[in-house]
Amino acid sequence: MPKRYAAIDIGSNAVRLLIGEISKENGHPYVKKISYTRLPLRLGEEVFDSGEISMKKADDFIKTIEVFRLIADIFNVSAIRACATSAMREARNGAEVIQQIKRSTGIQIEVISGDEEARLIFGTFALLDIERSKPYLVIDVGGGSTEINVFEHGKRVAAKSFDIGTVRMLKDKVDKKCWKEMKLWIKEHVEDNPHLVYATGGNINKIHKLLGVREKTPVTSRAMNQLHAELEPLSIGQRMDLFQLKPDRADVIVPALEIFRFCMNVLKCKEMYVPKIGLSDGIIYDLHKKKM
């Protein structure tokens, strides 16, 4: 029986637990999802505003990790890894909260860099059926940041993390200079030769589903523009009712669309592939490789 692993992804918008194992289909390995739990903790809501995590939010954070540890115990996992990203990188009291969680749950949270986040996500790309000879780039949009990585001949040749994220946008905490910086960086590192574009993150997975396109079929810039035009004027409640969105998705999906559309416009690309993998998958695969 394959070993099971637990990945905890502590983002700026939500906290996720993935229980998974590495299985094979037609000889190709993939991350088989056994259990998935997502809670809208919204750490970035406070951190991007006040610079720290409140006592109430810290208490909810501890309870969340306690629940995740219990779920992991039920599935008898071989190892657990918990990684925190943008919001925890910026929280002034982040180290203190991490110590509290370690004392209460026994789980050590790692605050990982944008580069380590990218390494984990794109390590999982090795499992995808991608033509390695073609240049491609991956845009990962989260609550606190957007990571862009450029690959040529199967190797990463450029990478950059930008302080542009969906929760950060909702709090009006994105400097206009960041958009200009991202545009210039894309133009500098993606030459005239066309790159395949891949997108990751919870929002693009939901966008792909809302657009009703088949698995492995790309989303088009035209369809995304149309979806944005439909969603943007609606209230949060209307988005929830008309598009069956959860409250914590109904507000961030519009800024996510704006980030992806901005990148596609700069890249002059008309379609984007959505492999539906993320940091949690990357953590599972990385744990598997280390335990082999």
Side-chain angles (χ1 to χ4, degrees):
M1 183 177 174
K3 289 182 178 177
R4 290 178 174 177
Y5 303 100
I8 299 175
D9 169 9
I10 300 156
S12 302
N13 184 30
V15 182
R16 306 165 187 86
L17 168 69
L18 174 64
I19 308 291
E21 62 188 32
I22 303 301
S23 292
K24 284 192 175 181
E25 188 175 272
N26 300 324
H28 292 288
Y30 71 99
V31 177
K32 181 180 178 182
K33 295 174 172 61
I34 307 296
S35 172
Y36 180 75
T37 310
R38 177 184 182 276
L39 294 174
L41 193 60
R42 282 277 164 103
L43 290 172
E45 205 165 46
E46 292 184 344
V47 173
F48 301 143
D49 227 3
S50 66
E52 60 183 33
I53 299 164
S54 69
M55 287 179 65
K56 172 66 171 71
K57 187 74 76 175
D59 188 49
D60 289 343
F61 195 178
I62 292 167
K63 289 174 183 173
T64 298
I65 301 302
E66 282 177 341
V67 169
F68 283 3
R69 183 183 59 78
L70 289 170
I71 293 171
D73 286 348
I74 290 167
F75 284 97
N76 194 29
V77 299
S78 297
I80 300 174
R81 187 178 182 189
C83 296
T85 55
S86 187
M88 288 298 286
R89 287 197 286 263
E90 293 186 26
R92 286 193 297 266
N93 60 339
E96 180 187 331
V97 173
I98 285 170
Q99 284 181 343
Q100 290 177 320
I101 289 171
K102 172 70 173 174
R103 284 195 300 268
S104 298
T105 70
I107 290 178
Q108 180 64 55
I109 292 171
E110 301 172 55
V111 180
I112 60 173
S113 65
D115 198 58
E116 172 67 359
E117 184 178 356
R119 184 191 73 80
L120 289 166
I121 293 170
F122 306 127
T124 320
F125 267 65
L127 304 179
L128 300 177
D129 187 21
I130 292 177
E131 177 54 65
R132 296 292 187 274
S133 63
K134 293 180 181 178
Y136 67 93
L137 62 89
V138 185
I139 305 165
D140 182 70
V141 171
S145 62
T146 294
E147 270 79 37
I148 302 178
N149 288 257
V150 184
F151 293 81
E152 292 176 4
H153 307 292
K155 293 183 179 179
R156 188 168 59 154
V157 296
K160 181 76 173 175
S161 179
F162 301 92
D163 286 340
I164 300 173
T166 57
V167 177
R168 209 184 284 270
M169 285 173 69
L170 288 178
K171 303 300 290 183
D172 198 24
K173 296 293 180 180
V174 177
D175 194 312
K176 287 181 180 178
K177 291 178 184 175
C178 288
W179 292 102
K180 187 176 181 181
E181 182 190 5
M182 188 157 71
K183 182 177 181 179
L184 291 172
W185 189 90
I186 292 172
K187 285 182 174 292
E188 180 184 349
H189 291 91
V190 183
E191 296 176 359
D192 292 335
N193 59 321
H195 286 61
L196 286 174
V197 180
Y198 292 88
T200 58
N203 281 298
I204 195 64
N205 292 346
K206 178 58 70 175
I207 289 163
H208 191 271
K209 187 175 180 180
L210 287 176
L211 292 175
V213 292
R214 292 196 304 267
E215 192 178 348
K216 297 183 180 179
T217 302
V219 294
T220 65
S221 55
R222 182 177 178 180
M224 290 179 75
N225 289 339
Q226 185 176 338
L227 182 62
H228 180 268
E230 290 174 15
L231 286 168
E232 201 272 336
L234 301 177
S235 67
I236 304 299
Q238 288 172 323
R239 292 175 197 169
M240 289 167 61
D241 292 340
L242 296 173
F243 291 86
Q244 286 78 56
L245 295 172
K246 293 177 181 177
D248 62 296
R249 184 67 72 199
D251 57 354
V252 293
I253 196 165
V254 169
L257 277 163
E258 288 166 2
I259 297 169
F260 284 120
R261 288 167 67 238
F262 177 87
C263 292
M264 292 179 83
N265 185 49
V266 175
L267 289 162
K268 297 184 174 64
C269 88
K270 290 187 166 52
E271 61 182 26
M272 193 159 56
Y273 290 86
V274 184
K276 295 190 177 177
I277 57 174
L279 179 58
S280 302
D281 302 82
I283 295 170
I284 297 287
Y285 186 49
D286 199 57
L287 285 170
H288 166 76
K289 286 191 295 181
K290 287 175 179 174
K291 297 288 181 179
M292 283 172 65

